[in-house]
Amino acid sequence: MREIRFAAVGLLAAGLGFGAIAQVPAKAASWHNGTPKVLRHTWRGYGKTQWYNWKFSATKIKAWNNDKSAGDYGSSEYWKNVKYKKTNGKTYKLTGFAGKTKDRFTVKVSGSTVQVWQEKRDTGLYKL
């Protein structure tokens, strides 16, 4: 009887040990294709020198200015192969390709406004 108890305790301990090792938490992919649904609108805001418009669609982003006094009036940038990662709350890191150049920026959503950071620039945008 005593031998059966020791064998049962040994098997139970071994089972719990292997179970603890085998239960490694699976992480979902942190980078997702496309843009977050909360951003999929056209946004407008004033940067340091001119007005900007950003249009977030499901798979790409377009940014353009509409300040006639600017030397690059009407110029636009397109990002393709966009991916995003949620960092905390409603803050997202986005990356994509503008032509052959990889670009990264951070977007923070707060109600009907967003803040966009590209490198050190900060642009406040409002939903149209």
Side-chain angles (χ1 to χ4, degrees):
M1 182 73 140
R2 190 172 173 177
E3 294 170 356
I4 294 175
R5 241 192 244 165
F6 281 127
V9 170
L11 287 174
L12 182 62
L16 288 175
F18 288 125
I21 292 171
Q23 288 186 351
V24 176
K27 283 189 172 180
S30 60
W31 287 92
H32 306 280
N33 290 328
T35 61
K37 287 184 181 180
V38 71
L39 289 177
R40 293 181 192 167
H41 300 284
T42 300
W43 303 82
R44 179 182 179 170
Y46 190 75
K48 289 189 174 185
T49 58
Q50 57 192 326
W51 285 97
Y52 287 97
N53 297 292
W54 288 66
K55 182 174 184 176
F56 293 87
S57 70
T59 58
K60 54 190 169 184
I61 300 169
K62 177 184 178 184
W64 70 99
N65 67 49
N66 58 351
D67 186 355
K68 291 183 180 180
S69 64
D72 58 350
Y73 169 67
S75 67
S76 59
E77 291 182 278
Y78 296 91
W79 287 273
K80 295 181 180 177
N81 299 334
V82 178
K83 295 183 179 186
Y84 73 94
K85 175 168 73 169
K86 187 172 186 175
T87 55
N88 61 19
K90 292 196 175 186
T91 303
Y92 301 90
K93 288 194 180 289
L94 286 91
T95 184
F97 287 89
K100 293 183 179 181
T101 307
K102 190 170 188 176
D103 203 0
R104 293 179 185 260
F105 46 95
T106 304
V107 179
K108 182 177 182 182
V109 181
S110 177
S112 63
T113 63
V114 296
Q115 293 286 322
V116 178
W117 291 270
Q118 268 185 294
E119 298 171 7
K120 293 185 179 182
R121 289 182 283 161
D122 179 12
T123 306
L125 303 170
Y126 305 92
K127 194 183 297 186
L128 291 179

